[in-house]
Amino acid sequence: MSRRKSSPARPSPGHSSPGRSSPGRSEHSAGIKSTSWRRPGRLGAIGLCVLGLVVAGTVWLRSSQSRAQYQQALTILETDPAHAEKLAESAIAEAWDDYPEAQLLQCRALAALGQWHMALGAFSLIEDTSKCDPAFLFDLGEKSFKDGEWKLAELALQATARQTGTMQTRALELLIQLHLKFHHLPEVLLLCREWQRVDPEAALPWAIVGDLEASAVELGPAIADYREALRRSPPSDLERTTRSSLTLLLVLTGDTVAARREFDVVLKTTSLPPTDQLIYAQLLRLEGRSDEALKEIDSYLSRAGADSESLKQRGIIHLDAGRLEQALADLKESVQMNPRDIGAQHKLAQVYTRLGNDEAAKVHRDEGRRLSEAADRASELKK
C-alpha cells in the first residue's frame, strides 16, 4: 500500500517560520511601539492646554480686578485722593506694573495730596504715555504749572503735546508760557513753530514769534509775523495788542501811513489802555502833532505812573520843542530807571550837547555806543 506523501506544514496565521519575518507581526510591533511613545506627547499637549487656560484665566481675572480698581479710583479721585492713590497702586500691581492709565492716575492723586516729589517719580515710571488720556495728562501738567512744579509740568505737557487732538495746542501754549517764564527763547520759538504746523490757522503763535523778533530788534520779520497773526482773525484782545505792537514797529521804521492805518482800527475800541496811549503818543509825534502827543503821555502818567519809557518819550517831545531843561529832567530820570536804554542815552547826550555840556554829552554818547555794540554782539551769538 502506497504511502501518501505529506505536504509541508503551513504556517498558521501570526506564526513565522524560522529565518523569515512576518510582515503582520512587525507592523503590529511597530504599532505597539508607536503607541507607547505617542501617549506621553498627547498627555503633555493636554497639560499645556490646561496650563494655558489656567494662565489665561488668571490674566483675565487680574486684568478685570485691575480695571475695576482703576475705575473706582477714578471715581473718587476728587473727593478722596488718598484712597484713590492706594487703589491705583493696587491696580498697577495687579497689572504687573504695566498700566499707564493707572500710573497716571496715581500721579494725579499724589499731586492732589501735595506729594510732588513722589508724583514726579511715579510719572517717570510710565513707559508709554501715548496710552494715557491726553485730557488727564494735561490736567496733571496744568496743576503742576499752577503750583510751580516746573519739571513735572514740563514732562506732562510734553507728553500731551505729542498726542494729536484738541489738547495738543493747549499743551503747546502752556509749554510756551513755561519757557517764557524762564526766558528759554529758543525753546519758545521751536514750540511756536510746532504750533503753527499743527494748527495753521492759529494766530497766537505768530504773534508770540513777532514779539520775540521785536525784542531782538528784528523789525522786518516781526512786522511780517504780526501781519500773519492778524490775517488769521484773532480774538479781539489779541487783535488789539497785535495791532498796537505792529503800529509801534511801523513808527520805529518811519512808516507813518501804515502805522496810522493800523492804529485807526485800534482807536475804534471804547477806550485805550495805558500801553496803547504811549504808542499813540509816538505816532502823533511822528505825524508832527506834538501837543496831542504830550497830552496822551500826561494821561498815561496819571493812569499808570512814571516809568522809563514814558519819561523818555516825554523828554523827546520836549527836546523836539526846544524845552531843554524839561527834556533834561525827564531823560535823566528815564536813564536812572533804565540805564540800558540805548535810545535814552543818546537823547540825553543830545540834550547835554545843546546845553553846551560836552563832557556829560560824551559820557552818555559813549555809554550808548557801548550798549549798542554789546547788543550787536549778543545778536550775532544767537544766530
Side-chain angles (χ1 to χ4, degrees), residues 55-125:
V55 171
T58 303
V59 170
W60 177 86
L61 181 61
R62 292 190 65 166
S63 176
S64 179
Q65 291 173 340
S66 180
R67 193 71 188 172
Q69 289 169 332
Y70 168 76
Q71 291 296 338
Q72 185 182 355
L74 188 61
T75 303
I76 65 170
L77 176 62
E78 298 296 328
T79 57
D80 191 356
H83 188 198
E85 192 275 327
K86 296 300 181 186
L87 284 169
E89 184 177 23
S90 180
I92 295 165
E94 288 291 340
W96 290 282
D97 297 331
D98 185 20
Y99 195 168
E101 292 171 294
Q103 289 171 289
L104 176 59
L105 192 149
Q106 184 181 36
C107 294
R108 295 170 64 204
L110 290 167
L113 293 168
Q115 298 177 17
W116 291 106
H117 182 72
M118 293 182 66
L120 178 60
F123 191 87
S124 67
L125 296 177

Side-chain angles (χ1 to χ4, degrees), residues 6-7 15 17 42 64 88-89 129 152 165 170 175 201 249 255 257 340 350 354-355:
S6 63
S7 59
H15 179 78
S17 305
R42 290 173 183 164
S64 179
E89 184 177 23
T129 56
L152 182 55
R170 292 183 64 187
L175 277 170
E201 293 307 310
L249 297 192
D255 192 344
V257 174
R340 300 184 64 80
Q350 291 178 28
R354 291 178 63 175
L355 288 170

Side-chain angles (χ1 to χ4, degrees), residues 240-266:
R240 182 188 58 76
T241 56
T242 304
R243 284 194 190 279
S244 297
S245 298
L246 177 57
T247 300
L248 178 58
L249 297 192
L250 292 169
V251 166
L252 293 175
T253 57
D255 192 344
T256 311
V257 174
R260 169 55 66 179
R261 183 171 59 248
E262 294 296 342
F263 207 75
D264 279 346
V265 179
V266 178

Side-chain angles (χ1 to χ4, degrees), residues 62-370:
R62 292 190 65 166
S63 176
S64 179
Q65 291 173 340
S66 180
R67 193 71 188 172
Q69 289 169 332
Y70 168 76
Q71 291 296 338
Q72 185 182 355
L74 188 61
T75 303
I76 65 170
L77 176 62
E78 298 296 328
T79 57
D80 191 356
H83 188 198
E85 192 275 327
K86 296 300 181 186
L87 284 169
E89 184 177 23
S90 180
I92 295 165
E94 288 291 340
W96 290 282
D97 297 331
D98 185 20
Y99 195 168
E101 292 171 294
Q103 289 171 289
L104 176 59
L105 192 149
Q106 184 181 36
C107 294
R108 295 170 64 204
L110 290 167
L113 293 168
Q115 298 177 17
W116 291 106
H117 182 72
M118 293 182 66
L120 178 60
F123 191 87
S124 67
L125 296 177
I126 304 176
E127 293 186 3
D128 187 0
T129 56
S130 67
K131 295 179 180 178
C132 298
D133 189 320
F136 293 157
L137 281 168
F138 181 80
D139 178 77
L140 177 63
E142 185 178 43
K143 180 172 177 56
S144 303
F145 182 89
K146 290 178 178 178
D147 283 33
E149 298 295 328
W150 310 119
K151 185 60 179 177
L152 182 55
E154 182 179 19
L155 291 174
L157 292 171
Q158 284 175 341
T160 311
R162 285 193 292 269
Q163 298 196 38
T164 58
T166 56
M167 306 307 299
Q168 187 176 24
T169 54
R170 292 183 64 187
L172 287 168
E173 181 177 357
L174 206 51
L175 277 170
I176 288 169
Q177 291 183 38
L178 190 154
H179 286 290
L180 281 173
K181 183 178 182 65
F182 294 100
H183 305 287
H184 299 158
L185 302 187
E187 287 82 357
V188 172
L189 183 59
L190 288 173
L191 289 165
C192 285
R193 295 306 186 199
E194 175 64 11
W195 191 352
Q196 291 167 354
R197 185 192 66 79
V198 169
D199 186 1
E201 293 307 310
L204 184 55
W206 292 95
I208 294 173
V209 172
D211 291 341
L212 294 177
E213 291 164 337
S215 65
V217 201
E218 298 174 1
L219 303 188
I223 288 171
D225 281 323
Y226 283 146
R227 283 178 169 154
E228 285 291 338
L230 292 171
R231 190 174 66 81
R232 286 164 170 77
S233 303
S236 57
D237 286 348
L238 179 59
E239 180 186 2
R240 182 188 58 76
T241 56
T242 304
R243 284 194 190 279
S244 297
S245 298
L246 177 57
T247 300
L248 178 58
L249 297 192
L250 292 169
V251 166
L252 293 175
T253 57
D255 192 344
T256 311
V257 174
R260 169 55 66 179
R261 183 171 59 248
E262 294 296 342
F263 207 75
D264 279 346
V265 179
V266 178
L267 288 171
K268 293 178 182 178
T269 58
T270 54
S271 63
L272 292 178
T275 51
D276 285 357
Q277 280 188 292
L278 205 55
I279 293 171
Y280 190 35
Q282 294 178 69
L283 174 58
L284 290 169
R285 172 183 167 267
L286 193 65
E287 292 175 330
R289 300 159 64 181
S290 297
D291 291 342
E292 294 175 65
L294 198 57
K295 288 179 181 178
E296 287 293 335
I297 292 177
D298 287 339
S299 174
Y300 170 89
L301 290 169
S302 66
R303 295 173 66 186
D307 56 50
S308 64
E309 183 62 27
S310 59
L311 290 171
K312 179 180 75 172
Q313 294 303 325
R314 191 171 70 174
I316 291 172
I317 292 173
H318 287 316
L319 177 60
D320 291 343
R323 297 186 288 268
L324 300 182
E325 293 299 332
Q326 290 168 284
L328 179 63
D330 281 342
L331 289 167
K332 279 180 69 176
E333 190 173 354
S334 174
V335 167
Q336 287 173 357
M337 288 182 173
N338 183 13
R340 300 184 64 80
D341 189 321
I342 298 170
Q345 292 282 1
H346 283 304
K347 288 296 181 181
L348 185 54
Q350 291 178 28
V351 173
Y352 277 123
T353 297
R354 291 178 63 175
L355 288 170
N357 190 339
D358 293 336
E359 184 178 349
K362 183 178 185 304
V363 169
H364 290 285
R365 191 164 47 248
D366 289 347
E367 180 62 12
R369 186 181 298 112
R370 186 191 68 80

